[in-house]
Amino acid sequence: MIVLEGVSKRYENQDALKDVSLRIEKGEMAFVTGPSGAGKTTLFKLLYLAEAPDEGLISIAGFNTASLDDSTIPMLRRNIGVVFQDFKLLNNNTVFDNIALALRIRRVMEREIKEKVTAVLKLVGLRHKADAYPLTLSGGEQQRITIARAIVGEPTVMLADEPTGNLDIENEEGIMKIFKLINNKGTTILIASHNRRLFDNTGRRVFYLDGGQLVKAEVR
Amino acid sequence: MFSLRMALNSIFREIWLNVISMLSIGAVLFILFSVVIAVYNVEKLTATLPEKLSVMVFLREDTRRDEARALESAIKSENIVKSVNFISKEKALQDMKGFFKNEKFALSGLGENPLFDTIDVRLKGAGSSAKGVNAFIEKLKGMSAVDDVEYGGALVESVYSLKNGLRVFGLTTGSIFALSVIFICYSTVRVLFYRHEEEIEIYKLLGATKGFIRSPFFIEGSIIGIMGGAIGMCFFLAISRYVFGKLFTEFPLFSMIYVPDRSFYILPVMGFVLGLGGAVIALGRLKY
Ligand SMILES: Nc1ncnc2c1ncn2[C@@H]1O[C@H](COP(=O)(O)OP(=O)(O)OP(=O)(O)O)[C@@H](O)[C@H]1O
Ligand SMILES: [Mg+2]
């Protein structure tokens, strides 16, 4: 489902990723970890095509990213639900509209949008915040809105970058439950996190990045 | 539907910028329309000018009646000629007598008929140029039976050159004004686009197509154009009602100005086309 072969990405004079090869199977839930600046976010940016690799091949959800043009990139992105590390919420739109946006760009009917958005808001426990604006929410709440937006479109692949960074343990467990639920429905999930609690004793594969290099991959 | 809502949202969020753009477009379209109306009126007034002037062809005294008739039909067969009317000198005298019938003494000195046979030629209005008319006159003068030709040629020529000048003027100013409407919409949409850059980035990351991202701006450009056109139309209606109204009573000449019925509905349509054009140019090189 996600394949990287000898992928490198250089920023100015610094290697953000260096010769990374990995493979994540369809329906798998896997983790990427490593110290700050290791290249986790960069890896994700390559996967959702915000950046192009300097070397190597990337394939995701059946698309070879190098061969995509302007009209197929949106189609690929609709298949990938991304929880951005910096949220990327629209601050002058309500919580409802932020989540609905993921469906509106697909030209889904408003009635269906209302149903689906309400359902995911309930799932992340923020139904009462539908009409609030992101900046009036706590960091953890904004994070959960971002997660809700990523899952509302029922993507085949989910990329979650530090999805529990602002959450307490209780909320963290709630979010991980949601990820497991989605994963059980068949969605391939890749989660980047420093937080060992997320993957310790899960029996899931964990990829260790350091200084842009893949240093270890193991089942925890 | 959502695109429309986004467009309206964006317009209201930057309401002053948009109102100023609409007003400028209104003003420009108003001027543009006035120029068009002016040119149109001159065209209309002068279109029938050659028709109104008659060409009097005076025949030589010794011209026989059958020669005159032949000449008449020869002239009639010219492309430029609308109608011909042969007036014999007897008829002319009779007319003259009728005209002066209360002042018989005015004609008492006339012995033999001193008048000439003449042919009164009327020209077609449409499709005739000053050059064509002049060539025709020269041709008439060259005919053996023709003594002289009388025609208000100088007047026609100056009117024609005025008309040509006005056409060129109307065309240039018209294009400049149309371009400036496009430019106003172009820069407005550009500004709005950059104001929304961050949002657009997010739209793209969520998988929005180019069309989805662009359509609110196209709608916005069109709305600005249509509103501008509507404002221009209101200017025009207000001015034609109050200003022309006054001018009509003070200078009757102005009442000859003719505005084709409902033609000002063209303004919002023009605004729409030009506004959309501006928006299309503004987003022409949207990258992914
Ligand atoms: N746009 C950029 N321009 C220049 N350098 C960049 C850019 N983005 C990332 N980098 C550099 O690339 C390296 C990897 O960054 P990345 O964001 O992938 O790290 P990360 O593993 O996500 O870190 P964190 O855990 O703090 O989120 C860092 O050293 C960073 O400074
Ligand atoms: Mg990161």
Side-chain angles (χ1 to χ4, degrees):
Chain A
M1 182 60 38
I2 300 175
V3 181
L4 277 83
E5 273 172 33
V7 171
S8 296
K9 175 71 191 174
R10 210 165 289 111
Y11 285 120
E12 277 105 60
N13 42 20
Q14 180 190 8
D15 288 323
L17 283 179
K18 226 156 113 188
D19 194 23
V20 173
S21 297
L22 59 81
R23 179 182 190 91
I24 289 154
E25 302 303 327
K26 193 174 158 83
E28 187 179 357
M29 175 147 93
F31 294 83
V32 181
T33 191
S36 183
K40 303 182 293 294
T41 300
T42 303
L43 172 65
F44 280 17
K45 281 183 181 165
L46 294 177
L47 290 174
Y48 60 76
L49 294 154
E51 301 276 5
D54 296 319
E55 279 161 50
L57 288 174
I58 300 174
S59 131
I60 180 166
F63 294 90
N64 176 351
T65 59
S67 64
L68 295 179
D69 58 28
D70 279 8
S71 60
T72 41
I73 287 173
M75 298 310 134
L76 171 61
R77 286 180 176 156
R78 289 178 194 187
N79 278 305
I80 307 176
V82 184
V83 180
F84 300 96
Q85 190 170 14
D86 56 354
F87 309 151
K88 297 200 193 296
L89 294 173
L90 300 172
N91 291 328
N92 40 29
N93 286 28
T94 62
V95 162
F96 182 93
D97 285 334
N98 265 282
I99 299 171
L101 185 61
L103 301 174
R104 286 185 176 138
I105 57 158
R106 294 166 161 88
R107 306 265 185 214
V108 175
M109 303 288 287
E110 283 297 318
R111 203 163 44 82
E112 197 183 333
I113 288 175
K114 183 139 180 71
E115 267 168 36
K116 288 193 166 169
V117 172
T118 309
V120 290
L121 273 172
K122 212 162 132 190
L123 197 63
V124 298
L126 288 173
R127 209 175 149 184
H128 58 293
K129 294 288 191 186
D131 296 325
Y133 286 84
L135 293 180
T136 67
L137 303 179
S138 74
E141 287 167 335
Q142 290 182 45
Q143 193 147 40
R144 283 185 279 158
I145 300 305
T146 311
I147 293 167
R149 184 182 61 188
I151 61 183
V152 76
E154 294 165 17
T156 55
V157 178
M158 252 196 80
L159 304 174
D161 196 353
E162 214 62 73
T164 61
N166 293 284
L167 301 180
D168 54 35
I169 292 190
E170 231 167 84
N171 269 310
E172 181 183 299
E173 281 171 357
I175 292 303
M176 288 313 289
K177 258 193 202 137
I178 294 169
F179 284 158
K180 274 177 219 156
L181 190 84
I182 297 166
N183 179 236
N184 285 340
K185 282 188 189 165
T187 304
T188 308
I189 303 183
L190 186 59
I191 300 170
S193 183
H194 304 280
N195 187 349
R196 310 169 65 93
R197 266 200 312 275
L198 300 189
F199 47 78
D200 274 347
N201 305 314
T202 54
R204 311 270 187 194
R205 288 203 296 158
V206 182
F207 296 92
Y208 292 83
L209 279 179
D210 198 353
Q213 282 179 300
L214 185 63
V215 293
K216 192 166 64 164
E218 61 175 8
V219 176
R220 300 280 300 207
Chain B
M1 248 347 269
F2 181 66
S3 301
L4 179 64
R5 203 138 50 86
M6 251 161 61
L8 291 176
N9 240 330
S10 164
I11 286 181
F12 283 114
R13 227 192 290 162
E14 303 285 347
I15 189 76
W16 286 113
L17 173 67
N18 285 296
V19 166
I20 287 166
S21 303
M22 289 173 193
L23 284 174
S24 343
I25 290 170
V28 173
L29 284 178
F30 163 70
I31 298 169
L32 174 60
F33 190 61
S34 306
V35 169
V36 170
I37 289 298
V39 172
Y40 174 80
N41 272 282
V42 172
E43 292 278 334
K44 192 171 158 305
L45 283 175
T46 53
T48 53
L49 192 63
E51 232 171 299
K52 288 193 178 118
L53 294 174
S54 63
V55 178
M56 292 303 282
V57 180
F58 297 92
L59 306 184
R60 279 184 204 284
E61 238 172 314
D62 55 1
T63 310
R64 291 194 318 274
R65 199 45 52 90
D66 60 324
E67 279 176 332
R69 286 293 174 191
L71 184 61
E72 185 189 2
S73 58
I75 294 172
K76 193 166 185 176
S77 67
E78 289 283 334
N79 263 338
I80 194 172
V81 174
K82 188 176 160 198
S83 65
V84 288
N85 185 19
F86 177 76
I87 303 164
S88 63
K89 52 186 174 191
E90 295 78 19
K91 172 93 171 27
L93 187 65
Q94 220 177 323
D95 286 350
M96 204 153 140
K97 281 180 176 159
F99 191 68
F100 288 112
K101 65 171 175 269
N102 296 323
E103 295 117 80
K104 286 221 162 70
F105 61 90
L107 302 171
S108 58
L110 296 171
E112 207 183 320
N113 187 346
L115 299 175
F116 301 97
D117 287 336
T118 55
I119 300 176
D120 181 1
V121 182
R122 300 286 165 125
L123 301 180
K124 281 179 191 158
S128 58
S129 65
K131 227 178 172 178
V133 172
N134 278 340
F136 174 65
I137 302 291
E138 287 311 311
K139 193 171 166 190
L140 287 180
K141 281 183 178 163
M143 289 174 172
S144 57
V146 174
D147 185 34
D148 197 10
V149 179
E150 230 179 66
Y151 182 62
L155 174 67
V156 167
E157 212 155 311
S158 62
V159 166
Y160 270 119
S161 64
L162 175 73
K163 205 161 124 176
N164 274 334
L166 210 70
R167 262 184 207 165
V168 171
F169 169 78
L171 216 66
T172 15
T173 48
S175 334
I176 290 170
F177 287 135
L179 281 176
S180 49
V181 171
I182 292 178
F183 182 74
I184 293 168
C185 284
Y186 166 85
S187 24
T188 310
V189 168
R190 269 262 135 141
V191 168
L192 293 170
F193 186 81
Y194 285 119
R195 296 263 166 100
H196 291 272
E197 223 175 3
E198 228 180 296
E199 281 176 63
I200 289 166
E201 206 45 50
I202 294 174
Y203 289 2
K204 284 188 195 167
L205 289 178
L206 293 180
T209 57
K210 243 185 210 177
F212 182 88
I213 291 168
R214 285 184 194 199
S215 51
F217 293 99
F218 290 162
I219 295 173
E220 211 165 326
S222 313
I223 291 178
I224 293 171
I226 292 170
M227 293 300 289
I231 290 169
M233 189 173 95
C234 293
F235 279 167
F236 195 85
L237 286 179
I239 284 177
S240 55
R241 189 145 308 161
Y242 298 108
V243 179
F244 283 7
K246 269 217 172 104
L247 285 176
F248 283 1
T249 45
E250 285 176 24
F251 307 96
L253 181 67
F254 278 89
S255 63
M256 281 169 74
I257 294 177
Y258 174 75
V259 180
D261 230 15
R262 287 189 244 292
S263 61
F264 32 74
Y265 288 144
I266 194 83
L267 282 180
V269 176
M270 271 172 68
F272 167 70
V273 172
L274 298 175
L276 184 61
V280 168
I281 298 169
L283 300 187
R285 285 156 301 168
L286 180 68
K287 284 197 301 277
Y288 242 88

